Amino acid sequence: MTERLRLAVGSVPVTEASSPKIRMRHLSKVFGKDEVTATVALAEFSLTVSEGEFVCVLGPSGCGKTTMLRILAGLERQSAGELEITASATGRPLSSMVFQEYSLFPWLTVIDNVAYGLEMRGIRKNERIARAEPFLETIGLAKFRDHYPSQLSGGMKQRVSLARALVNDPEILLMDEPFAALDAQNKLLMQEELLRIWEADRKTVVFITHAIDEALTLADRIVVMSAAPGRIKRTIPVAFPRPRKAAELKADRRFGELYLEIWHIIEDEVRAARAQAEG
């Protein structure tokens, strides 16, 4: 049994028949209320994401990528347009979000950070610990279960953030440049870790990134956005077979060719975003 939540400006959620997992129609987002302060972050943004699809959204800084993701997460409200999400009636959270910052609670241990979302859902401690521990095994941090965030490296902290999102078993995983702060080696390892975990259950993923190589490594489809106000400039299918190994994939000649093709698509938008920032 499924239901679709339609979130349109000025309306309330309604139930309809099953359909694609996410559908955004003509979304716009304006910050500020007058002509002097108003900033248009998104304009006429329309995208459909299928059940189990891994979509990477790529674009220059300030193009509205994070704004779009926050609208999907329910953290922002669109100014115009319609958002529909098909929710399974299973009692699972509809979505979990992994931020660029680690966003861990420094006073909680690793295991308690991972289990925090379950605690907020009212699940008893014994059960939430039992559910969190296998995810510590999955991310290779079981022996750090009683450590605090200050005792972890950046890569380890981000693995804890990923485990915290996954332990809730969300239908949709939203990721906002989660590996941007990592060094090149740890970023590669985390990409492979994410691919391995994703292959197991094929959650619907919307992943924001600045990096073309990261998008090519992870995605079924890449959405390239324009400079602000953010619109979809192009969508590119990524046909590399799965399962994928990030390091090996980069050695494929087609990887380099597609990287260059996408750069040519996005180059003008990056220059436009820089010009906007410089005033």
Side-chain angles (χ1 to χ4, degrees):
M1 179 181 178
T2 59
E3 64 176 6
R4 186 190 301 175
L5 303 180
R6 175 184 291 168
L7 303 176
V9 174
S11 72
V12 295
V14 298
T15 300
E16 292 189 5
S18 180
S19 71
K21 194 69 178 176
I22 300 169
R23 180 172 289 166
M24 292 171 272
R25 295 190 183 97
H26 309 296
L27 288 191
S28 296
K29 178 63 179 180
V30 180
F31 293 99
K33 296 183 178 180
D34 57 62
E35 293 183 1
V36 175
T37 62
T39 300
V40 182
L42 286 176
E44 291 292 318
F45 187 94
S46 297
L47 176 67
T48 298
V49 180
S50 299
E51 177 83 39
E53 188 177 16
F54 199 128
V55 171
C56 282
V57 181
L58 182 69
S61 295
C63 72
K65 301 185 300 295
T66 294
T67 297
M68 180 273 295
L69 201 71
R70 288 176 63 85
I71 290 171
L72 280 181
L75 300 175
E76 297 281 357
R77 180 75 164 166
Q78 70 267 33
S79 302
E82 185 174 87
L83 166 64
E84 295 177 0
I85 301 176
T86 303
S88 300
T90 60
R92 296 161 56 198
L94 186 57
S95 67
S96 287
M97 189 161 174
V98 181
F99 298 91
Q100 182 174 342
E101 301 81 15
Y102 307 125
S103 64
L104 302 180
F105 297 110
W107 60 88
L108 295 181
T109 62
V110 165
I111 187 69
D112 288 332
N113 264 290
V114 172
Y116 182 76
L118 300 176
E119 182 179 1
M120 292 299 96
R121 291 167 56 193
I123 294 172
R124 292 179 299 178
K125 184 170 184 177
N126 288 347
E127 181 181 350
R128 63 178 184 259
I129 297 300
R131 289 170 62 174
E133 284 180 331
F135 284 90
L136 290 185
E137 294 283 352
T138 296
I139 63 170
L141 290 178
K143 67 180 182 180
F144 294 91
R145 72 186 303 281
D146 296 319
H147 285 56
Y148 289 89
S150 62
Q151 299 171 293
L152 305 179
S153 69
M156 293 163 74
K157 291 175 184 176
Q158 197 60 298
R159 278 189 274 167
V160 174
S161 296
L162 179 59
R164 184 171 63 186
L166 292 170
V167 74
N168 279 299
D169 192 23
E171 297 184 39
I172 301 168
L173 188 59
L174 306 173
M175 308 188 77
D176 187 11
E177 299 192 73
F179 309 144
L182 303 181
D183 61 63
Q185 291 81 12
N186 274 310
K187 181 181 292 188
L188 196 66
L189 290 172
M190 284 302 300
Q191 288 169 359
E192 293 198 341
E193 186 77 6
L194 176 59
L195 285 172
R196 184 180 65 81
I197 293 169
W198 179 80
E199 287 284 353
D201 62 8
R202 299 290 180 111
K203 291 186 186 300
T204 305
V205 178
V206 181
F207 187 107
I208 302 298
T209 182
H210 279 101
I212 298 173
D213 59 339
E214 183 167 67
L216 285 170
T217 298
L218 299 174
D220 294 315
R221 186 163 49 113
I222 296 172
V223 175
V224 179
M225 289 182 65
S226 68
R231 298 177 172 87
I232 294 178
K233 184 170 183 178
R234 183 97 166 263
T235 60
I236 300 111
V238 181
F240 297 119
R242 297 186 185 274
R244 298 173 185 169
K245 289 287 187 180
E248 295 172 10
L249 192 61
K250 291 182 179 182
D252 190 316
R253 176 180 55 82
R254 294 170 299 167
F255 188 96
E257 292 172 348
L258 197 50
Y259 183 106
L260 189 59
E261 178 184 336
I262 294 171
W263 169 245
H264 287 322
I265 294 168
I266 201 173
E267 182 178 12
D268 289 343
E269 302 306 325
V270 173
R271 295 184 189 282
R274 179 181 295 182
Q276 289 174 3
E278 292 173 352

